[in-house]
Amino acid sequence: MKTELKAKFLQHILDKKKGDEGFTLIELLVVIIIIGILSAIALPSFLNQANKGKQSEAKQYSGSMNRAQQAYFLENGSFTTDLNSLGMGIRSQTENYIYAINGTGTGVGNNGYSLKAPLKSYVGVVALSIQSGTSEATTLAVLCESNNVGALTASVAPSFANTPLEPTCPSNFSPLKSK
């Protein structure tokens, strides 16, 4: 081939490649639609995970309050309704939850009730259980999660089953399985 013909042929190939650069409008629309569908699927899942992270604070604090109540009973022979007496160093109110204790001489409810609508509330119930026919006493505890999301305005009273006394979840609460 002649040099001039070779140069024209190479120029033609280079011009053709330059014309193929970039994306068409259809290709860009398809990519945008795919990104939109993926974000519509992922966003609710992400928001749910954020709420679960916030709820883990109350779950952890209520469970720790249960264990602290059991230790307090072992040392003092009674339960306490004062959060500071447990010596845990937690605040009675955070951005998402209020922590409070209510109860009687035979048991207490360690509340972590939500301040925000998308969060669940938690209550830990600790009871003094005396076996019938013996003088043996033990403290039993259960951690409960509200069945519905939503802000609560007051502490939930503890709930107990009779003979021997066992902690149970209050109405509208379900026990959490220990892992």
Side-chain angles (χ1 to χ4, degrees):
M1 256 203 225
K2 291 186 178 181
T3 322
E4 187 179 318
L5 185 60
K6 284 183 185 178
K8 282 186 179 181
F9 181 69
L10 288 172
Q11 186 66 34
H12 174 70
I13 291 174
L14 289 174
D15 287 342
K16 195 172 187 180
K17 283 188 177 179
K18 285 183 183 175
D20 291 342
E21 290 179 10
F23 298 105
T24 65
L25 183 60
I26 301 279
E27 291 171 331
L28 290 174
L29 286 175
V30 168
V31 169
I32 290 171
I33 289 171
I34 290 172
I35 290 172
I37 290 170
L38 291 175
S39 64
I41 293 169
L43 188 63
S45 178
F46 171 74
L47 293 176
N48 190 29
Q49 292 300 320
N51 287 337
K52 282 184 180 181
K54 292 175 184 174
Q55 288 174 177
S56 69
E57 168 201 320
K59 195 184 304 186
Q60 184 69 35
Y61 280 5
S62 296
S64 295
M65 289 165 65
N66 277 0
R67 290 183 290 283
Q69 284 284 8
Q70 290 175 312
Y72 187 89
F73 186 87
L74 184 64
E75 292 176 6
N76 300 301
S78 65
F79 295 111
T80 183
T81 55
D82 178 29
L83 186 59
N84 293 326
S85 296
L86 293 177
M88 295 176 51
I90 64 172
R91 295 180 303 181
S92 61
Q93 183 171 347
T94 63
E95 183 181 336
N96 301 309
Y97 286 92
I98 291 179
Y99 300 98
I101 303 170
N102 62 5
T104 64
T106 57
V108 290
N110 301 305
N111 290 274
Y113 57 97
S114 69
L115 294 172
K116 297 184 179 178
L119 301 177
K120 290 187 174 188
S121 296
Y122 294 87
V123 62
V125 181
V126 182
L128 177 63
S129 180
I130 301 173
Q131 298 293 328
S132 58
T134 67
S135 60
E136 221 176 279
T138 58
T139 56
L140 303 174
V142 65
L143 184 59
C144 309
E145 178 181 65
S146 61
N147 295 334
N148 303 312
V149 297
L152 291 180
T153 56
S155 296
V156 178
S159 182
F160 308 106
N162 293 333
T163 351
L165 198 62
E166 287 189 25
T168 59
C169 291
S171 61
N172 297 323
F173 280 78
S174 299
L176 289 175
K177 306 272 190 275
S178 57
K179 294 180 180 177

